[in-house]
Coordinates of all heavy atoms in Angstrom, one line a residue:
M1 N -4.8 -5.9 -60.7 CA -5.6 -6.4 -59.6 C -4.8 -6.2 -58.2 O -3.6 -6.4 -58.2 CB -5.8 -7.9 -59.8 CG -6.8 -8.5 -58.9 SD -7.6 -10.0 -59.5 CE -6.2 -11.2 -59.3
S2 N -5.6 -5.7 -57.2 CA -4.9 -5.4 -56.0 C -4.6 -6.8 -55.3 O -5.1 -7.8 -55.6 CB -5.8 -4.6 -55.1 OG -7.0 -5.3 -54.8
V3 N -3.7 -6.6 -54.3 CA -3.2 -7.8 -53.5 C -3.7 -7.8 -52.1 O -3.8 -6.7 -51.5 CB -1.7 -7.8 -53.6 CG1 -1.2 -8.9 -52.7 CG2 -1.2 -8.0 -55.0
T4 N -4.2 -8.9 -51.6 CA -4.6 -9.0 -50.2 C -3.5 -9.8 -49.5 O -3.1 -10.9 -50.0 CB -6.0 -9.7 -50.1 OG1 -6.9 -9.0 -50.9 CG2 -6.4 -9.8 -48.7
V5 N -3.1 -9.4 -48.3 CA -2.1 -10.1 -47.5 C -2.8 -10.7 -46.3 O -3.6 -10.0 -45.6 CB -1.0 -9.2 -47.1 CG1 0.1 -9.9 -46.3 CG2 -0.4 -8.5 -48.3
W6 N -2.5 -12.0 -46.1 CA -3.2 -12.7 -45.0 C -2.2 -13.2 -44.0 O -1.0 -13.3 -44.2 CB -3.9 -14.0 -45.6 CG -4.9 -13.7 -46.7 CD1 -4.6 -13.7 -48.0 CD2 -6.3 -13.3 -46.5 NE1 -5.8 -13.3 -48.7 CE2 -6.8 -13.1 -47.8 CE3 -7.1 -13.2 -45.4 CZ2 -8.1 -12.8 -48.0 CZ3 -8.4 -12.9 -45.6 CH2 -8.9 -12.7 -46.9
Q7 N -2.7 -13.5 -42.8 CA -1.9 -14.3 -41.8 C -2.7 -15.5 -41.4 O -4.0 -15.5 -41.4 CB -1.6 -13.4 -40.6 CG -2.8 -12.8 -39.9 CD -2.3 -11.8 -38.8 OE1 -1.2 -11.4 -38.8 NE2 -3.3 -11.4 -38.0
V8 N -2.0 -16.5 -41.0 CA -2.7 -17.7 -40.5 C -3.2 -17.5 -39.1 O -2.5 -17.0 -38.2 CB -1.7 -18.9 -40.5 CG1 -2.4 -20.2 -40.0 CG2 -1.1 -19.2 -41.9
A9 N -4.5 -17.8 -38.9 CA -5.1 -17.7 -37.6 C -4.7 -18.9 -36.7 O -4.7 -20.0 -37.2 CB -6.6 -17.7 -37.7
E10 N -4.3 -18.6 -35.5 CA -3.9 -19.7 -34.6 C -5.1 -20.5 -34.2 O -6.2 -20.0 -34.1 CB -3.3 -19.1 -33.3 CG -1.9 -18.6 -33.5 CD -1.2 -18.4 -32.1 OE1 -1.6 -19.0 -31.1 OE2 -0.2 -17.6 -32.1
V11 N -4.9 -21.8 -34.1 CA -5.9 -22.7 -33.6 C -5.7 -22.9 -32.1 O -4.7 -23.5 -31.7 CB -5.8 -24.1 -34.4 CG1 -6.9 -25.0 -33.9 CG2 -5.8 -23.9 -35.8
P12 N -6.7 -22.5 -31.3 CA -6.5 -22.6 -29.8 C -6.3 -24.0 -29.4 O -7.1 -24.9 -29.8 CB -7.8 -22.0 -29.3 CG -8.3 -21.1 -30.4 CD -7.9 -21.8 -31.7
G13 N -5.3 -24.3 -28.7 CA -5.1 -25.6 -28.1 C -4.5 -26.6 -29.0 O -4.2 -27.7 -28.6
A14 N -4.2 -26.3 -30.2 CA -3.6 -27.3 -31.2 C -2.1 -27.3 -30.9 O -1.5 -26.3 -30.7 CB -3.9 -26.9 -32.6
S15 N -1.6 -28.6 -30.9 CA -0.2 -28.7 -30.6 C 0.6 -28.3 -31.9 O 1.7 -27.9 -31.8 CB 0.1 -30.2 -30.2 OG -0.4 -31.1 -31.2
V16 N 0.1 -28.6 -33.0 CA 0.7 -28.2 -34.3 C -0.1 -27.1 -35.0 O -1.3 -27.4 -35.3 CB 0.9 -29.4 -35.2 CG1 1.6 -28.9 -36.5 CG2 1.7 -30.5 -34.5
Q17 N 0.4 -25.9 -35.1 CA -0.3 -24.9 -35.8 C -0.2 -25.0 -37.3 O 0.8 -25.4 -37.8 CB 0.2 -23.5 -35.3 CG 0.0 -23.2 -33.8 CD -1.5 -23.0 -33.5 OE1 -2.3 -22.7 -34.4 NE2 -1.9 -23.4 -32.3
P18 N -1.3 -24.7 -38.0 CA -1.2 -24.8 -39.5 C -0.2 -23.7 -40.0 O 0.0 -22.7 -39.4 CB -2.6 -24.5 -39.9 CG -3.3 -23.8 -38.8 CD -2.6 -24.2 -37.5
S19 N 0.3 -24.0 -41.1 CA 1.1 -23.1 -41.8 C 0.6 -23.0 -43.3 O -0.1 -23.9 -43.7 CB 2.6 -23.4 -41.9 OG 2.8 -24.6 -42.6
C20 N 0.9 -21.9 -43.9 CA 0.3 -21.7 -45.2 C 1.3 -20.8 -46.0 O 1.8 -19.8 -45.5 CB -1.0 -21.0 -45.1 SG -1.7 -20.5 -46.7
D21 N 1.6 -21.2 -47.3 CA 2.5 -20.4 -48.1 C 1.7 -19.6 -49.1 O 2.3 -19.1 -50.1 CB 3.4 -21.4 -48.9 CG 4.3 -22.2 -48.0 OD1 4.7 -21.6 -47.0 OD2 4.7 -23.3 -48.4
H22 N 0.4 -19.4 -48.9 CA -0.4 -18.7 -49.9 C -1.0 -17.4 -49.3 O -2.2 -17.2 -49.3 CB -1.5 -19.6 -50.4 CG -1.0 -21.0 -50.7 ND1 -1.1 -22.1 -49.9 CD2 -0.4 -21.4 -51.8 CE1 -0.5 -23.1 -50.4 NE2 -0.1 -22.7 -51.6
L23 N -0.1 -16.6 -48.6 CA -0.6 -15.5 -47.8 C -0.7 -14.2 -48.6 O -1.1 -13.2 -48.1 CB 0.3 -15.3 -46.6 CG 0.4 -16.5 -45.7 CD1 1.3 -16.3 -44.5 CD2 -1.0 -16.9 -45.2
E24 N -0.4 -14.3 -49.9 CA -0.7 -13.1 -50.7 C -1.6 -13.6 -51.9 O -1.3 -14.5 -52.6 CB 0.6 -12.5 -51.3 CG 1.3 -11.7 -50.3 CD 2.3 -10.7 -50.9 OE1 2.3 -10.5 -52.2 OE2 3.2 -10.2 -50.2
T25 N -2.8 -13.0 -51.9 CA -3.7 -13.5 -53.0 C -4.2 -12.2 -53.7 O -4.0 -11.1 -53.3 CB -5.0 -14.2 -52.4 OG1 -5.7 -13.2 -51.7 CG2 -4.6 -15.3 -51.4
G26 N -4.9 -12.5 -54.8 CA -5.5 -11.4 -55.5 C -6.8 -11.0 -54.8 O -7.2 -11.6 -53.8
D27 N -7.5 -10.0 -55.4 CA -8.7 -9.5 -54.9 C -9.7 -9.4 -56.1 O -10.0 -8.4 -56.5 CB -8.5 -8.2 -54.2 CG -9.8 -7.7 -53.5 OD1 -10.7 -8.5 -53.3 OD2 -9.8 -6.5 -53.1
P28 N -10.1 -10.6 -56.6 CA -10.8 -10.6 -57.9 C -12.1 -10.0 -57.8 O -12.8 -10.0 -56.7 CB -10.9 -12.1 -58.3 CG -10.7 -12.8 -57.0 CD -9.9 -12.0 -56.1
P29 N -12.6 -9.4 -58.9 CA -14.0 -8.8 -58.9 C -15.0 -10.0 -58.9 O -14.7 -11.1 -59.2 CB -14.0 -8.1 -60.2 CG -13.0 -8.8 -61.1 CD -11.9 -9.3 -60.2
L30 N -16.2 -9.6 -58.5 CA -17.3 -10.6 -58.5 C -17.9 -10.8 -59.8 O -18.1 -9.8 -60.6 CB -18.4 -10.1 -57.5 CG -17.9 -10.0 -56.0 CD1 -19.0 -9.5 -55.1 CD2 -17.4 -11.4 -55.5
P31 N -18.3 -12.0 -60.2 CA -18.9 -12.2 -61.5 C -20.3 -11.8 -61.5 O -21.0 -11.7 -60.5 CB -18.8 -13.8 -61.7 CG -18.8 -14.3 -60.3 CD -18.1 -13.2 -59.4
E32 N -20.9 -11.6 -62.7 CA -22.3 -11.3 -62.9 C -22.8 -12.4 -63.8 O -22.3 -12.7 -64.9 CB -22.5 -10.0 -63.6 CG -22.4 -8.8 -62.7 CD -23.6 -8.6 -61.9 OE1 -24.7 -9.1 -62.2 OE2 -23.5 -7.9 -60.9
P33 N -24.0 -13.1 -63.5 CA -24.7 -12.9 -62.2 C -23.9 -13.6 -61.1 O -23.1 -14.5 -61.4 CB -26.0 -13.7 -62.5 CG -25.6 -14.7 -63.5 CD -24.6 -14.1 -64.3
L34 N -24.1 -13.1 -59.9 CA -23.3 -13.7 -58.7 C -24.0 -15.0 -58.3 O -25.1 -15.1 -58.0 CB -23.3 -12.7 -57.6 CG -22.5 -13.1 -56.4 CD1 -21.1 -13.3 -56.7 CD2 -22.6 -12.1 -55.3
G35 N -23.2 -16.1 -58.3 CA -23.7 -17.4 -57.9 C -22.6 -18.4 -58.2 O -21.6 -18.1 -58.8
C36 N -22.9 -19.6 -57.7 CA -22.0 -20.7 -58.0 C -22.0 -21.0 -59.5 O -23.1 -21.3 -60.0 CB -22.4 -21.9 -57.2 SG -21.5 -23.4 -57.7
A37 N -20.9 -21.0 -60.1 CA -20.8 -21.2 -61.6 C -21.5 -22.5 -62.0 O -22.3 -22.6 -62.9 CB -19.4 -21.1 -62.0
E38 N -21.1 -23.6 -61.3 CA -21.6 -24.9 -61.6 C -23.1 -25.1 -61.3 O -23.9 -25.6 -62.1 CB -20.9 -26.0 -60.9 CG -19.5 -26.3 -61.5 CD -18.4 -25.3 -61.0 OE1 -18.7 -24.5 -60.1 OE2 -17.3 -25.4 -61.5
C39 N -23.6 -24.5 -60.2 CA -25.0 -24.6 -59.8 C -25.8 -23.8 -60.8 O -26.9 -24.2 -61.2 CB -25.2 -24.1 -58.4 SG -24.6 -25.3 -57.1
L40 N -25.3 -22.6 -61.2 CA -26.1 -21.8 -62.2 C -26.2 -22.6 -63.5 O -27.3 -22.5 -64.1 CB -25.3 -20.5 -62.4 CG -25.4 -19.4 -61.3 CD1 -24.5 -18.2 -61.6 CD2 -26.9 -19.0 -61.1
R41 N -25.2 -23.3 -63.9 CA -25.3 -24.1 -65.1 C -26.2 -25.2 -65.0 O -27.0 -25.5 -65.9 CB -23.9 -24.6 -65.5 CG -23.3 -23.9 -66.7 CD -22.2 -24.7 -67.3 NE -21.2 -25.3 -66.4 CZ -20.1 -24.6 -66.0 NH1 -19.9 -23.4 -66.4 NH2 -19.3 -25.2 -65.2
G42 N -26.2 -25.9 -63.8 CA -26.9 -27.2 -63.7 C -28.2 -27.0 -62.9 O -28.9 -28.0 -62.7
G43 N -28.6 -25.8 -62.5 CA -29.8 -25.6 -61.8 C -29.8 -26.1 -60.4 O -30.8 -26.4 -59.8
G44 N -28.6 -26.1 -59.8 CA -28.4 -26.5 -58.4 C -28.7 -25.4 -57.5 O -28.8 -24.2 -57.9
R45 N -28.7 -25.7 -56.2 CA -28.9 -24.6 -55.2 C -27.7 -24.6 -54.3 O -27.1 -25.7 -54.1 CB -30.2 -24.8 -54.4 CG -31.4 -24.8 -55.3 CD -32.7 -24.7 -54.5 NE -32.7 -25.7 -53.5 CZ -33.4 -25.7 -52.4 NH1 -34.1 -24.6 -52.1 NH2 -33.4 -26.7 -51.5
W46 N -27.4 -23.5 -53.7 CA -26.3 -23.4 -52.8 C -26.7 -22.7 -51.5 O -27.8 -22.1 -51.4 CB -25.2 -22.6 -53.4 CG -25.6 -21.2 -53.8 CD1 -25.6 -20.1 -53.0 CD2 -26.0 -20.7 -55.1 NE1 -26.1 -19.0 -53.7 CE2 -26.3 -19.4 -55.0 CE3 -26.1 -21.4 -56.3 CZ2 -26.7 -18.6 -56.1 CZ3 -26.5 -20.6 -57.4 CH2 -26.8 -19.2 -57.3
V47 N -25.9 -22.9 -50.4 CA -26.1 -22.3 -49.1 C -25.3 -21.1 -49.0 O -25.9 -20.0 -48.8 CB -25.8 -23.3 -48.0 CG1 -26.0 -22.7 -46.6 CG2 -26.6 -24.6 -48.1
H48 N -24.0 -21.2 -49.1 CA -23.1 -20.0 -49.1 C -22.2 -20.1 -50.3 O -22.0 -21.2 -50.9 CB -22.3 -20.0 -47.9 CG -23.1 -19.8 -46.6 ND1 -24.0 -18.7 -46.4 CD2 -23.3 -20.5 -45.5 CE1 -24.6 -18.8 -45.3 NE2 -24.2 -19.9 -44.7
L49 N -21.6 -19.0 -50.6 CA -20.7 -18.9 -51.8 C -19.2 -18.7 -51.3 O -19.0 -18.0 -50.3 CB -21.1 -17.8 -52.7 CG -22.5 -18.0 -53.4 CD1 -22.9 -16.7 -54.2 CD2 -22.5 -19.2 -54.3
R50 N -18.3 -19.3 -52.1 CA -16.9 -19.1 -51.8 C -16.3 -18.7 -53.1 O -16.6 -19.3 -54.2 CB -16.2 -20.4 -51.3 CG -16.8 -20.9 -50.1 CD -16.3 -20.2 -48.8 NE -16.9 -20.8 -47.6 CZ -18.0 -20.3 -47.0 NH1 -18.6 -19.2 -47.5 NH2 -18.4 -20.8 -45.9
Q51 N -15.3 -17.7 -53.1 CA -14.7 -17.3 -54.3 C -13.2 -17.6 -54.2 O -12.5 -17.4 -53.2 CB -14.8 -15.7 -54.4 CG -14.2 -15.3 -55.7 CD -14.3 -13.8 -56.0 OE1 -14.2 -13.0 -55.0 NE2 -14.5 -13.4 -57.2
C52 N -12.7 -18.3 -55.3 CA -11.3 -18.6 -55.5 C -10.6 -17.3 -55.7 O -10.9 -16.5 -56.6 CB -11.1 -19.5 -56.7 SG -9.4 -19.8 -57.1
L53 N -9.5 -17.0 -54.8 CA -8.8 -15.8 -54.9 C -7.7 -15.8 -55.9 O -6.9 -14.9 -56.1 CB -8.3 -15.4 -53.5 CG -9.4 -15.1 -52.5 CD1 -8.8 -14.7 -51.2 CD2 -10.3 -14.0 -53.1
T54 N -7.5 -17.0 -56.7 CA -6.6 -17.0 -57.8 C -7.2 -16.6 -59.0 O -6.7 -15.7 -59.7 CB -6.1 -18.5 -57.9 OG1 -5.5 -18.9 -56.7 CG2 -5.0 -18.5 -59.1
C55 N -8.4 -17.1 -59.4 CA -9.0 -16.9 -60.7 C -10.4 -16.2 -60.6 O -10.9 -15.8 -61.6 CB -9.1 -18.2 -61.5 SG -10.3 -19.3 -60.8
G56 N -10.9 -16.1 -59.4 CA -12.2 -15.4 -59.2 C -13.4 -16.3 -59.4 O -14.6 -15.9 -59.3
H57 N -13.2 -17.6 -59.6 CA -14.3 -18.6 -59.7 C -15.1 -18.6 -58.4 O -14.6 -18.5 -57.3 CB -13.7 -20.0 -59.9 CG -14.7 -21.1 -59.8 ND1 -15.0 -21.7 -58.6 CD2 -15.5 -21.7 -60.7 CE1 -16.0 -22.6 -58.8 NE2 -16.2 -22.7 -60.1
V58 N -16.4 -18.6 -58.6 CA -17.3 -18.6 -57.5 C -18.0 -20.0 -57.4 O -18.6 -20.5 -58.4 CB -18.4 -17.5 -57.5 CG1 -19.4 -17.7 -56.4 CG2 -17.7 -16.1 -57.4
G59 N -17.9 -20.7 -56.3 CA -18.5 -22.0 -56.1 C -19.2 -22.0 -54.8 O -19.2 -21.1 -54.0
C60 N -20.0 -23.1 -54.5 CA -20.7 -23.2 -53.3 C -19.9 -23.9 -52.2 O -19.0 -24.6 -52.5 CB -22.1 -23.9 -53.5 SG -22.0 -25.4 -54.4
C61 N -20.3 -23.6 -50.9 CA -19.5 -24.0 -49.8 C -19.8 -25.5 -49.5 O -20.6 -26.2 -50.1 CB -19.9 -23.2 -48.6 SG -21.6 -23.6 -48.0
D62 N -19.0 -26.0 -48.5 CA -19.1 -27.4 -48.1 C -20.5 -27.7 -47.5 O -20.8 -28.9 -47.3 CB -18.0 -27.8 -47.2 CG -16.7 -27.9 -47.9 OD1 -16.7 -27.8 -49.2 OD2 -15.6 -28.1 -47.3
S63 N -21.3 -26.8 -47.1 CA -22.6 -27.0 -46.5 C -23.6 -27.1 -47.7 O -24.8 -27.5 -47.4 CB -23.1 -25.9 -45.6 OG -22.1 -25.8 -44.5
S64 N -23.2 -26.9 -48.9 CA -24.1 -26.9 -50.0 C -24.0 -28.3 -50.7 O -23.0 -29.0 -50.5 CB -23.7 -25.9 -51.1 OG -23.6 -24.6 -50.5
P65 N -25.1 -28.8 -51.3 CA -25.1 -30.1 -51.9 C -23.9 -30.3 -52.9 O -23.3 -31.4 -53.0 CB -26.4 -30.2 -52.6 CG -27.3 -29.2 -51.9 CD -26.4 -28.1 -51.5
G66 N -23.6 -29.3 -53.7 CA -22.6 -29.4 -54.7 C -21.2 -29.4 -54.3 O -20.3 -30.0 -54.9
Q67 N -20.9 -28.6 -53.2 CA -19.5 -28.3 -52.7 C -18.6 -28.0 -53.9 O -17.5 -28.5 -54.0 CB -19.0 -29.6 -52.0 CG -20.0 -29.9 -50.8 CD -19.4 -31.1 -49.9 OE1 -18.4 -31.7 -50.3 NE2 -20.1 -31.3 -48.8
H68 N -19.1 -27.1 -54.7 CA -18.3 -26.8 -55.9 C -17.0 -26.0 -55.7 O -16.1 -26.0 -56.4 CB -19.2 -26.1 -57.0 CG -20.2 -27.1 -57.5 ND1 -21.6 -26.8 -57.5 CD2 -20.1 -28.3 -58.1 CE1 -22.2 -27.8 -58.1 NE2 -21.3 -28.7 -58.5
A69 N -17.1 -25.2 -54.6 CA -15.8 -24.4 -54.3 C -14.7 -25.4 -53.9 O -13.6 -25.2 -54.3 CB -16.1 -23.4 -53.1
H70 N -15.0 -26.4 -53.1 CA -14.0 -27.3 -52.7 C -13.6 -28.1 -53.9 O -12.4 -28.5 -54.1 CB -14.6 -28.3 -51.7 CG -13.6 -28.9 -50.8 ND1 -13.9 -29.3 -49.5 CD2 -12.3 -29.2 -51.0 CE1 -12.8 -29.9 -49.0 NE2 -11.8 -29.8 -49.9
A71 N -14.5 -28.5 -54.8 CA -14.2 -29.2 -56.0 C -13.2 -28.4 -56.9 O -12.4 -29.0 -57.6 CB -15.4 -29.6 -56.8
H72 N -13.4 -27.1 -56.9 CA -12.6 -26.2 -57.7 C -11.2 -26.1 -57.1 O -10.2 -25.9 -57.9 CB -13.2 -24.8 -57.8 CG -12.4 -23.8 -58.5 ND1 -12.3 -23.7 -59.9 CD2 -11.5 -22.9 -58.0 CE1 -11.5 -22.7 -60.2 NE2 -11.0 -22.2 -59.0
A73 N -11.0 -26.1 -55.8 CA -9.8 -25.9 -55.2 C -8.8 -27.0 -55.5 O -9.1 -28.1 -55.5 CB -10.0 -25.8 -53.6
R74 N -7.5 -26.5 -55.8 CA -6.4 -27.4 -56.1 C -5.2 -26.6 -56.0 O -5.2 -25.4 -56.0 CB -6.6 -28.0 -57.5 CG -6.7 -27.0 -58.6 CD -7.1 -27.7 -59.9 NE -7.2 -26.7 -61.0 CZ -8.3 -26.0 -61.3 NH1 -9.3 -26.1 -60.5 NH2 -8.3 -25.1 -62.3
P75 N -4.0 -27.2 -56.0 CA -2.8 -26.4 -56.0 C -2.8 -25.4 -57.1 O -3.1 -25.8 -58.3 CB -1.7 -27.4 -56.1 CG -2.3 -28.7 -55.5 CD -3.7 -28.6 -55.9
G76 N -2.5 -24.2 -56.8 CA -2.6 -23.1 -57.7 C -3.9 -22.3 -57.6 O -4.0 -21.2 -58.0
H77 N -4.9 -23.0 -57.0 CA -6.2 -22.3 -56.7 C -6.5 -22.7 -55.2 O -7.4 -23.5 -54.9 CB -7.3 -22.8 -57.6 CG -7.1 -22.5 -59.0 ND1 -7.8 -21.5 -59.7 CD2 -6.3 -23.0 -59.9 CE1 -7.4 -21.4 -60.9 NE2 -6.5 -22.3 -61.1
D78 N -5.6 -22.2 -54.3 CA -5.6 -22.7 -53.0 C -6.6 -22.0 -52.0 O -7.1 -22.7 -51.1 CB -4.2 -22.4 -52.4 CG -3.1 -23.0 -53.4 OD1 -2.8 -24.2 -53.3 OD2 -2.6 -22.2 -54.2
V79 N -6.8 -20.7 -52.2 CA -7.5 -20.0 -51.1 C -8.8 -19.5 -51.6 O -9.0 -19.0 -52.7 CB -6.6 -18.8 -50.7 CG1 -7.3 -18.0 -49.6 CG2 -5.2 -19.2 -50.2
G80 N -9.8 -19.7 -50.8 CA -11.2 -19.2 -51.1 C -11.7 -18.3 -50.0 O -11.3 -18.5 -48.8
R81 N -12.5 -17.4 -50.3 CA -13.1 -16.5 -49.3 C -14.6 -16.6 -49.4 O -15.2 -16.8 -50.5 CB -12.6 -15.1 -49.5 CG -13.2 -14.4 -50.7 CD -12.9 -12.9 -50.8 NE -13.2 -12.4 -52.1 CZ -12.8 -11.2 -52.6 NH1 -12.0 -10.4 -51.8 NH2 -13.2 -10.7 -53.7
P82 N -15.3 -16.3 -48.3 CA -16.8 -16.3 -48.3 C -17.2 -14.9 -48.9 O -16.5 -13.9 -48.9 CB -17.1 -16.3 -46.8 CG -16.0 -15.7 -46.1 CD -14.8 -16.0 -46.9
L83 N -18.4 -15.0 -49.5 CA -18.9 -13.8 -50.1 C -20.1 -13.2 -49.3 O -20.7 -12.2 -49.8 CB -19.4 -14.1 -51.5 CG -18.3 -14.5 -52.5 CD1 -18.8 -14.7 -53.9 CD2 -17.2 -13.4 -52.5
E84 N -20.3 -13.6 -48.1 CA -21.3 -13.0 -47.2 C -20.8 -11.7 -46.7 O -19.6 -11.5 -46.5 CB -21.6 -13.9 -46.0 CG -22.5 -15.1 -46.4 CD -21.7 -16.2 -47.1 OE1 -20.6 -16.6 -46.6 OE2 -22.1 -16.6 -48.2
Q85 N -21.8 -10.7 -46.6 CA -21.4 -9.4 -46.1 C -20.7 -9.5 -44.7 O -21.1 -10.3 -43.9 CB -22.7 -8.6 -45.9 CG -23.3 -8.1 -47.2 CD -22.5 -6.9 -47.7 OE1 -22.0 -6.1 -46.9 NE2 -22.5 -6.7 -49.0
G86 N -19.7 -8.7 -44.6 CA -19.0 -8.6 -43.3 C -18.1 -9.8 -43.0 O -17.4 -9.7 -41.9
E87 N -17.9 -10.8 -43.8 CA -17.0 -11.9 -43.6 C -15.7 -11.5 -44.1 O -15.5 -11.2 -45.3 CB -17.5 -13.1 -44.3 CG -18.9 -13.6 -43.8 CD -18.8 -14.4 -42.5 OE1 -17.7 -14.7 -42.0 OE2 -19.9 -14.7 -41.9
T88 N -14.7 -11.4 -43.3 CA -13.3 -11.0 -43.7 C -12.3 -12.1 -43.3 O -11.5 -11.9 -42.4 CB -12.9 -9.7 -43.1 OG1 -13.1 -9.8 -41.7 CG2 -13.7 -8.6 -43.7
W89 N -12.5 -13.3 -43.9 CA -11.5 -14.4 -43.6 C -11.4 -15.1 -44.9 O -12.1 -14.9 -45.9 CB -12.0 -15.3 -42.5 CG -13.4 -15.8 -42.6 CD1 -14.5 -15.2 -42.2 CD2 -13.8 -17.0 -43.2 NE1 -15.6 -16.0 -42.5 CE2 -15.2 -17.1 -43.1 CE3 -13.1 -18.1 -43.9 CZ2 -15.9 -18.2 -43.6 CZ3 -13.8 -19.2 -44.4 CH2 -15.2 -19.2 -44.2
A90 N -10.5 -16.1 -44.9 CA -10.3 -17.0 -46.1 C -9.9 -18.3 -45.6 O -9.4 -18.5 -44.4 CB -9.3 -16.4 -47.1
W91 N -10.0 -19.3 -46.5 CA -9.6 -20.7 -46.1 C -8.7 -21.2 -47.2 O -9.0 -21.1 -48.4 CB -10.9 -21.5 -46.1 CG -10.7 -23.0 -45.8 CD1 -10.8 -24.0 -46.8 CD2 -10.3 -23.6 -44.6 NE1 -10.5 -25.2 -46.2 CE2 -10.2 -25.0 -44.8 CE3 -10.0 -23.1 -43.3 CZ2 -9.8 -25.9 -43.8 CZ3 -9.7 -24.0 -42.3 CH2 -9.6 -25.4 -42.6
C92 N -7.5 -21.7 -46.7 CA -6.6 -22.3 -47.7 C -7.0 -23.8 -47.7 O -6.8 -24.5 -46.7 CB -5.2 -22.1 -47.3 SG -4.0 -23.0 -48.4
Y93 N -7.5 -24.3 -48.8 CA -7.9 -25.7 -49.0 C -6.6 -26.6 -49.0 O -6.7 -27.7 -48.5 CB -8.6 -25.9 -50.3 CG -10.0 -25.3 -50.3 CD1 -10.2 -24.0 -50.7 CD2 -11.1 -26.0 -49.8 CE1 -11.5 -23.4 -50.7 CE2 -12.4 -25.4 -49.8 CZ -12.6 -24.1 -50.3 OH -13.8 -23.6 -50.2
T94 N -5.5 -26.1 -49.5 CA -4.3 -26.9 -49.6 C -3.7 -27.2 -48.3 O -3.4 -28.3 -48.0 CB -3.3 -26.2 -50.5 OG1 -3.9 -25.9 -51.8 CG2 -2.1 -27.1 -50.8
D95 N -3.6 -26.2 -47.4 CA -3.0 -26.3 -46.1 C -4.0 -26.5 -45.0 O -3.6 -26.6 -43.9 CB -2.2 -25.1 -45.8 CG -1.0 -24.9 -46.8 OD1 -0.3 -25.9 -47.0 OD2 -0.9 -23.9 -47.4
E96 N -5.3 -26.4 -45.3 CA -6.4 -26.4 -44.3 C -6.1 -25.4 -43.2 O -6.1 -25.7 -42.0 CB -6.5 -27.9 -43.8 CG -6.9 -28.8 -44.9 CD -7.3 -30.2 -44.3 OE1 -6.9 -30.6 -43.2 OE2 -8.1 -30.9 -45.0
A97 N -5.8 -24.2 -43.7 CA -5.5 -23.1 -42.7 C -6.5 -22.0 -42.8 O -7.0 -21.7 -43.9 CB -4.1 -22.6 -43.0
F98 N -6.9 -21.5 -41.7 CA -7.9 -20.4 -41.6 C -7.1 -19.1 -41.7 O -6.1 -18.9 -40.9 CB -8.6 -20.5 -40.3 CG -9.8 -19.6 -40.1 CD1 -10.9 -19.8 -40.9 CD2 -9.8 -18.6 -39.2 CE1 -12.0 -18.9 -40.8 CE2 -10.9 -17.7 -39.0 CZ -12.0 -17.9 -39.8
L99 N -7.4 -18.2 -42.5 CA -6.6 -17.0 -42.8 C -7.4 -15.8 -42.4 O -8.6 -15.7 -42.6 CB -6.2 -16.9 -44.2 CG -5.5 -18.1 -44.8 CD1 -5.2 -17.8 -46.3 CD2 -4.3 -18.5 -44.1
R100 N -6.7 -14.8 -41.8 CA -7.3 -13.5 -41.4 C -6.5 -12.4 -42.1 O -5.3 -12.6 -42.4 CB -7.2 -13.3 -39.9 CG -8.0 -14.2 -39.1 CD -8.3 -13.6 -37.7 NE -9.3 -14.4 -37.1 CZ -10.6 -14.3 -37.3 NH1 -11.0 -13.5 -38.2 NH2 -11.5 -15.1 -36.7
P101 N -7.1 -11.3 -42.4 CA -6.4 -10.2 -43.1 C -5.2 -9.8 -42.2 O -5.4 -9.6 -41.0 CB -7.4 -9.1 -43.2 CG -8.7 -9.7 -43.0 CD -8.5 -11.0 -42.1
A102 N -4.1 -9.6 -42.8 CA -2.9 -9.1 -42.1 C -2.7 -7.6 -42.3 O -3.1 -7.1 -43.4 CB -1.6 -9.8 -42.5
R103 N -2.2 -6.9 -41.3 CA -1.8 -5.5 -41.5 C -0.4 -5.5 -42.1 O 0.5 -6.2 -41.7 CB -1.8 -4.8 -40.2 CG -3.1 -4.3 -39.8 CD -3.1 -3.7 -38.4 NE -4.3 -4.1 -37.7 CZ -5.4 -3.4 -37.8 NH1 -5.5 -2.4 -38.6 NH2 -6.5 -3.8 -37.2
R104 N -0.3 -4.6 -43.1 CA 1.0 -4.4 -43.7 C 1.9 -3.7 -42.7 O 1.5 -2.7 -42.1 CB 0.9 -3.7 -45.0 CG 0.6 -4.5 -46.2 CD 0.7 -3.7 -47.4 NE 0.3 -4.4 -48.6 CZ 1.0 -5.3 -49.2 NH1 2.2 -5.6 -48.8 NH2 0.5 -5.9 -50.3
R105 N 3.2 -4.1 -42.5 CA 4.0 -3.4 -41.6 C 4.7 -2.3 -42.4 O 4.9 -2.4 -43.6 CB 5.1 -4.4 -41.0 CG 4.6 -4.9 -39.7 CD 5.5 -6.0 -39.2 NE 4.9 -7.3 -39.7 CZ 5.2 -8.5 -39.3 NH1 6.2 -8.6 -38.4 NH2 4.7 -9.6 -39.8
Ligands
ZN201 ZN1 -1.9 -22.3 -48.1
ZN202 ZN1 -22.4 -25.3 -56.6
ZN203 ZN1 -9.6 -20.8 -59.1

């Protein structure tokens, strides 16, 4: 599995900037069928999807009724990314840090 390297995005105006120790993640493949694992099982609906970059679990975002991506997140499954086209960011649930792709030096 390839590795994605992230950097923490600065929060404009914040006196304390977030930090994150989870700046190297996997780049897991998408499951088939693509959808929130819990919602697909229980017949729920989702707004947006987030994928756990540790294990590839796909859950629904915090705007969805189930919030299954957040429910899945825990230490060891820290970082989730959106699955919408063109979205290239990630969110560390553990550190509450917004991550952007980093360039390798
Ligand atoms: Zn983190
Ligand atoms: Zn869900
Ligand atoms: Zn996970």
Side-chain angles (χ1 to χ4, degrees):
M1 192 157 71
S2 63
V3 172
T4 304
V5 182
W6 303 92
Q7 60 188 6
V8 179
E10 280 194 24
V11 181
S15 53
V16 179
Q17 294 293 333
S19 64
C20 175
D21 293 328
H22 313 98
L23 298 180
E24 286 199 10
T25 69
D27 188 11
L30 296 177
E32 281 284 341
L34 182 59
C36 170
E38 283 82 4
C39 287
L40 284 173
R41 251 198 317 269
R45 298 192 309 154
W46 59 81
V47 179
H48 296 301
L49 296 173
R50 302 280 180 265
Q51 184 178 36
C52 172
L53 293 182
T54 303
C55 70
H57 170 274
V58 173
C60 49
C61 71
D62 284 355
S63 302
S64 308
Q67 303 185 352
H68 290 124
H70 204 153
H72 172 83
R74 59 189 177 276
H77 297 254
D78 308 275
V79 180
R81 70 172 170 193
L83 293 182
E84 285 75 51
Q85 283 284 328
E87 299 280 352
T88 52
W89 53 271
W91 175 254
C92 178
Y93 290 93
T94 304
D95 297 308
E96 301 193 333
F98 190 68
L99 308 179
R100 293 199 171 283
R103 273 173 219 282
R104 278 190 185 281
R105 264 166 273 193

